[in-house]
């Protein structure tokens, strides 16, 4: 049994069903991300865990205790909001100590814990500042310290980085992960950014229209997406509709040539997914399928060059690394690309 | 040419507002024959009836502010938090005192709470004062509610409430420690407007037979020559001081 469990949780607002049969078991100390497009119900699930919304059905259990009917201020949960939500009339120290004061701790104990938390987030000198005197990144760190000060059972973060600059976003997410590991706190992190979710999570829950469509480690989610939606949402992807030549033998037609996938397929046509990084420009020993095409687009991204190659009417995107001695092919140039049948994912839907 | 027109309009408007004031001020200085003096002001300020009625109105204004804040802050907060769909309705209701003439409200009050009614408030001194307080709180509603509602929006009261809740706080603490301190500026700016309104209020006071500053001003106007002008200038100065205080307070408290 997990430390935090969501069992058959549902939520509807008036007529609209927003969360459907949501199940999740989070182990103690695990870092789980909810990943999905805007409006898919991530925040709603998080708010049900926090107690701000009551589930229409199902149960939420923390450490063996059914908290479904418990008010938010009785759940002992820490939460970080997208817009920081620091109390503007209180100093950094008072913000961080707020939960401790509510819990009725003494002044000395509060001061000690606040100092400890400010050291943890790397802002030991800002105790007397007011929120408006801090940068966005500093405010969000203070919000994190405030959420953690009273030693909550669970930490919830709702898109905590999306209001910040790209550079701070990356450094702060790594810091969140470091602090989470240091404290060993069970954490749910909501984001719509796949890179964010993959880079810092133990497990990722991909959500679509109020359902958890796939739950797994970042490696599993990225390499073995359970559906076309997951495959598309988690990273860029080539989606290829291929004609099946031999259903039982698992042979499809790709760029006019037969390719054996080595597993039975449905008759007719099948959807295939292929990561751009699995395709190579030119021939390469470990990639047995070679296709001829014409460069349709070329995007020079620095370290990586993304090409879009037209293979008999089918556009295939591929990534190659920049090499100073070999300029990228020009648009319209005839090229060969190679890939391996192993890397072709057969999509179920 | 395009620059000149707005300026011309501004100057005309300024003259339209300022000339009567200047005239009145000039007149108020002429109590002593052949010289300018503040004699009229001295007479007014030394008049015990001025002191009594003015003090009375100040106390009523302060109580109105407290009552208004007690009604408006929790209401506006709750509507924002839990009944956002009702906001337009509540806003409309709070604007009603601007459309319904005070005289209509007073007659309604007198009918509802006269000595032969179930709640004979007008029968006693206390009752009448309570009645006029509630009346003034109603008059102040449009200003109080708007100010507080704007204040609540600017601090995102809903999220702050949730942040406090998840940290364990209950409603009393949330209102006292999180919401009220952060809308204090708004409450104060509503308060000064309320003060300005109540100080000069005439209709309620006259019809409920209260010796406040408003009726005193009117009585003066009917019986003296120079003092009413001095009074009007004083009342005007108080109103402007209130406006200035709103500006000052919001500038100082808004970091
Ligand atoms: N209080 C509410 N009343 C009605 N609909 C809501 C409410 N909160 C969220 N929704 C709807 O639920 C859906 C999911 O919202 P949300 O959980 O915020 O999505 P996400 O966080 O993934 O962007 C959206 O379509 C949203 O409009
Ligand atoms: Mg959201």
């Amino acid at each position: 049994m997990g430390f935090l469990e969501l069992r058959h949780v549902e939520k509807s607002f008036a007529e609209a069903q927003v969360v459907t049969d949501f199940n999740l078991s989070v182990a103690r100390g695990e870092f789980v991300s909810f990943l999905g497009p805007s409006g898919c119900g991530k925040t709603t699930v998080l708010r049900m865990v926090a107690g701000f919304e009551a589930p229409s059905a199902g149960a939420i259990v923390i450490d063996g205790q059914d908290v479904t009917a418990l008010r938010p201020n009785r759940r002992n949960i820490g939460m970080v909001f997208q817009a920081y939500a620091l109390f503007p009339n209180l100093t950094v120290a008072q913000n961080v100590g707020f939960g401790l004061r509510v819990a009725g701790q003494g002044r000395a104990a509060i001061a000690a814990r606040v100092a400890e938390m400010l050291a943890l987030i790397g802002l030991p000198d800002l105790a007397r500042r007011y929120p408006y005197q801090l940068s966005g990144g500093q405010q969000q760190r203070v919000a994190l310290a405030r959420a953690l000060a009273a030693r909550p059972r669970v930490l919830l973060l709702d898109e905590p980085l999306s209001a910040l600059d790209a550079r701070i976003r990356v450094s702060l997410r790594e810091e969140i992960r470091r602090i989470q590991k240091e404290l060993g706190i069970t954490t749910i992190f909501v984001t719509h950014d796949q890179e964010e979710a993959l880079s810092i999570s133990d497990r990722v829950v991909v959500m679509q229209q109020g359902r958890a469509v796939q739950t797994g480690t970042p490696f599993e989610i990225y390499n073995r997406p359970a559906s076309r939606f997951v495959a598309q949402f988690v990273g860029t992807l080539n989606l290829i509709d291929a004609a099946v030549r031999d259903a039982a033998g698992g042979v499809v037609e790709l760029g006019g040539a037969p390719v054996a996938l080595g597993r039975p397929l449905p008759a007719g046509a099948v959807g295939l997914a292929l990561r751009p990084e699995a395709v190579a420009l030119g021939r390469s020993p470990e990639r047995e399928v070679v296709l001829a095409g014409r460069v349709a687009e070329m995007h020079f991204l620095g370290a990586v060059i993304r090409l879009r190659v037209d293979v008999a009417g089918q556009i295939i995107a591929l990534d190659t690394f920049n090499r100073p001695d070999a300029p990228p092919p020009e648009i319209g140039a005839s090229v060969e690309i190679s890939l391996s049948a192993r890397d072709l994912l057969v999509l179920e839907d | 040419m395009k620059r000149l027109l707005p300026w011309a309009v501004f100057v005309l408007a300024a003259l339209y507002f300022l000339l009567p004031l200047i005239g009145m001020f000039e007149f108020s200085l002429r109590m002593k024959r052949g010289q300018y003096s503040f004699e009229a002001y001295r007479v007014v300020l030394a008049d015990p009836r001025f002191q009594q009625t003015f003090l009375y109105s100040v106390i009523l204004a302060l109580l109105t502010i407290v009552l208004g804040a007690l009604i408006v802050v929790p209401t506006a907060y709750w509507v924002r938090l839990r009944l956002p769909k009702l906001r337009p309705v509540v806003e409309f209701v709070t604007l009603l005192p601007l459309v319904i003439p005070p005289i209509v409200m007073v007659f309604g009050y007198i009918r509802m709470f006269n000595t032969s009614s179930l709640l004979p408030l007008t029968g006693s001194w206390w009752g009448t004062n309570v009645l006029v307080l509630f009346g003034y709180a109603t008059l102040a509603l449009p200003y109080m509610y708007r100010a507080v509602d704007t204040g609540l929006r600017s601090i995102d009261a809903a999220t702050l409430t949730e942040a406090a809740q998840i940290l364990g706080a209950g409603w009393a603490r949330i209102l006292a420690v999180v919401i009220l301190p952060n809308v204090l500026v708004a409450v104060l700016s509503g308060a000064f407007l309320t003060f300005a309104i109540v100080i000069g209020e005439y209709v309620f006071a006259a019809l409920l037979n209260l010796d406040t500053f408003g009726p005193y001003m009117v009585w003066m106007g009917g019986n003296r020559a120079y003092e009413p002008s001095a009074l009007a200038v004083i009342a005007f100065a108080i109103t402007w001081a209130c406006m200035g205080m709103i500006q000052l307070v919001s500038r100082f408290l808004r970091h």
Side-chain angles (χ1 to χ4, degrees):
Chain A
M1 213 183 74
F3 182 73
L4 166 64
E5 301 226 347
L6 286 89
R7 298 180 187 152
H8 306 291
V9 170
E10 314 240 337
K11 180 70 190 177
S12 15
F13 292 109
E15 293 297 285
Q17 175 106 9
V18 172
V19 176
T20 310
D21 195 27
F22 194 95
N23 291 284
L24 179 67
S25 176
V26 184
R28 189 188 290 265
E30 194 178 15
F31 190 114
V32 174
S33 290
F34 291 176
L35 174 64
S38 170
C40 73
K42 307 180 295 290
T43 297
T44 304
V45 175
L46 206 69
R47 290 172 58 80
M48 287 191 284
V49 176
F52 297 133
E53 306 281 358
S56 316
I60 295 166
V61 178
I62 300 176
D63 201 10
Q65 179 198 12
D66 187 330
V67 299
T68 317
L70 214 57
R71 293 211 309 274
N73 55 351
R74 298 261 169 268
R75 292 195 182 193
N76 192 12
I77 284 177
M79 184 152 176
V80 176
F81 299 82
Q82 180 175 345
Y84 323 135
L86 294 176
F87 305 125
N89 56 316
L90 302 181
T91 62
V92 166
Q94 288 168 331
N95 265 283
V96 174
F98 188 92
L100 306 168
R101 232 174 87 196
V102 173
Q105 296 196 14
R107 292 183 106 206
I110 293 177
R113 181 67 175 160
V114 167
E116 192 184 335
M117 294 315 294
L118 291 181
L120 184 70
I121 58 165
L123 301 175
D125 303 327
L126 301 186
R128 287 160 178 276
R129 297 268 187 96
Y130 282 90
Y132 73 96
Q133 297 170 310
L134 305 181
S135 71
Q138 289 173 330
Q139 288 190 52
Q140 198 57 299
R141 279 179 218 215
V142 173
L144 180 66
R146 180 180 69 176
L148 292 169
R151 298 187 171 84
R153 297 188 285 185
V154 175
L155 176 65
L156 307 175
L157 304 106
D158 190 358
E159 312 222 11
L161 307 174
S162 53
L164 301 171
D165 301 342
R167 194 170 303 192
I168 296 169
R169 218 154 47 211
V170 173
S171 66
L172 191 51
R173 82 180 182 214
E174 278 154 14
E175 197 165 338
I176 289 175
R177 177 59 159 159
R178 170 184 70 77
I179 290 170
Q180 184 270 337
K181 275 188 167 156
E182 205 171 311
L183 301 180
I185 184 162
T186 312
T187 301
I188 298 181
F189 182 97
V190 163
T191 178
H192 62 262
D193 183 323
Q194 50 96 8
E195 184 193 313
E196 217 166 88
L198 296 179
S199 64
I200 58 174
S201 314
D202 292 317
R203 274 194 304 155
V204 176
V205 179
V206 183
M207 291 183 61
Q208 179 188 17
Q209 292 178 357
R211 291 172 190 275
V213 287
Q214 189 174 4
T215 304
T217 65
F219 186 84
E220 286 165 357
I221 296 278
Y222 189 81
N223 291 302
R224 293 199 293 280
S227 68
R228 184 180 290 249
F229 171 82
V230 176
Q232 250 171 330
F233 194 76
V234 183
T236 27
L237 202 74
N238 290 299
L239 288 173
I240 304 164
D241 286 309
V244 177
R245 274 205 185 170
D246 175 359
V251 180
V252 296
E253 186 178 311
L254 209 58
V259 175
L261 297 179
R263 61 166 135 166
L265 297 169
V270 71
L272 301 175
L274 185 63
R275 297 275 177 213
E277 64 268 26
V279 186
L281 187 62
R283 293 169 184 258
S284 68
E286 69 274 26
R287 295 183 177 86
E288 71 282 2
V289 181
V290 178
L291 304 170
R294 205 169 273 282
V295 176
E297 285 175 42
M298 194 276 289
H299 300 282
F300 188 79
L301 306 176
V304 169
I305 298 161
R306 174 153 297 174
L307 298 172
R308 290 166 69 78
V309 177
D310 184 339
V311 178
Q314 168 88 51
I315 297 286
I316 294 180
L318 64 108
D319 288 346
T320 66
F321 284 111
N322 170 48
R323 281 176 35 201
D325 55 329
E330 309 214 331
I331 292 175
S334 291
V335 290
E336 281 187 323
I337 61 174
S338 58
L339 52 100
S340 167
R342 275 195 331 263
D343 293 327
L344 286 165
L345 299 167
V346 179
L347 297 172
E348 311 289 337
D349 49 33
Chain B
M1 200 49 217
K2 279 203 177 130
R3 284 284 179 87
L4 271 178
L5 193 64
W7 275 109
V9 171
F10 176 76
V11 168
L12 269 179
L15 284 177
Y16 179 80
F17 284 115
L18 287 179
L19 275 182
L21 274 177
I22 293 170
M24 189 173 66
F25 181 61
E26 196 264 353
F27 183 70
S28 74
L29 296 179
R30 297 210 315 211
M31 193 166 180
K32 279 191 179 166
R33 239 166 270 271
Q35 69 182 92
Y36 282 141
S37 74
F38 285 98
E39 178 65 11
Y41 292 86
R42 195 194 59 72
V43 172
V44 164
L45 293 176
D47 181 356
R49 283 203 59 208
F50 166 81
Q51 293 165 5
Q52 270 168 22
T53 57
F54 190 72
L55 184 67
Y56 190 8
S57 282
V58 167
I59 293 172
L60 275 182
L62 294 179
L63 290 175
T64 304
I65 289 165
V66 172
L67 180 66
L70 282 179
I71 295 173
V72 165
V73 173
T75 308
Y77 173 61
W78 200 248
V79 167
R80 245 187 197 283
L81 210 63
R82 288 293 141 88
L83 309 165
K85 289 206 187 99
L86 267 182
R87 223 165 65 84
V89 178
V90 174
E91 201 158 312
F92 176 75
V93 170
T94 60
L95 288 178
L96 282 179
L98 291 183
V99 233
I100 300 173
I103 188 109
V104 173
M105 281 164 55
V106 180
F107 274 122
Y109 279 10
I110 291 176
R111 266 196 74 92
M112 285 290 292
F113 302 109
N114 63 31
T115 44
S116 54
S117 72
L118 283 178
L119 198 59
L121 287 177
T122 57
S124 67
W125 182 84
W126 276 110
T128 311
N129 278 288
V130 167
L131 197 56
V132 81
L133 263 187
F134 276 94
Y136 285 171
T138 311
L139 288 186
L141 212 51
Y143 312 100
M144 258 322 198
Y145 186 85
R146 302 224 124 209
V148 170
D149 195 50
T150 311
L152 285 172
R153 184 174 54 219
S154 71
I155 60 163
D156 189 1
T159 312
L160 286 188
T161 299
E162 292 184 348
Q165 258 181 321
I166 202 77
L167 290 165
W171 288 116
R173 186 187 296 264
I174 294 175
L175 267 173
V177 180
V178 176
I179 301 303
L180 200 58
N182 286 306
V183 292
L184 205 60
V185 174
V187 171
L188 280 179
S189 65
F192 287 118
L193 272 174
T194 306
F195 191 85
I197 293 168
V198 172
I199 281 293
E201 206 284 331
Y202 174 72
V203 177
F204 272 73
L207 284 161
L208 291 173
N209 231 345
L210 295 171
D211 275 330
T212 63
F213 189 53
Y216 172 72
M217 277 201 291
V218 172
W219 178 85
M220 268 288 195
N223 292 281
R224 300 289 171 85
Y226 297 100
E227 289 90 333
S229 294
L231 261 185
V233 170
I234 291 172
F236 195 77
I238 292 170
T239 309
W240 275 87
C242 286
M243 299 295 178
M245 287 304 281
I246 296 175
Q247 292 296 320
L248 223 82
V249 160
S250 49
R251 200 163 308 162
F252 268 110
L253 291 186
R254 200 194 315 125
H255 308 304

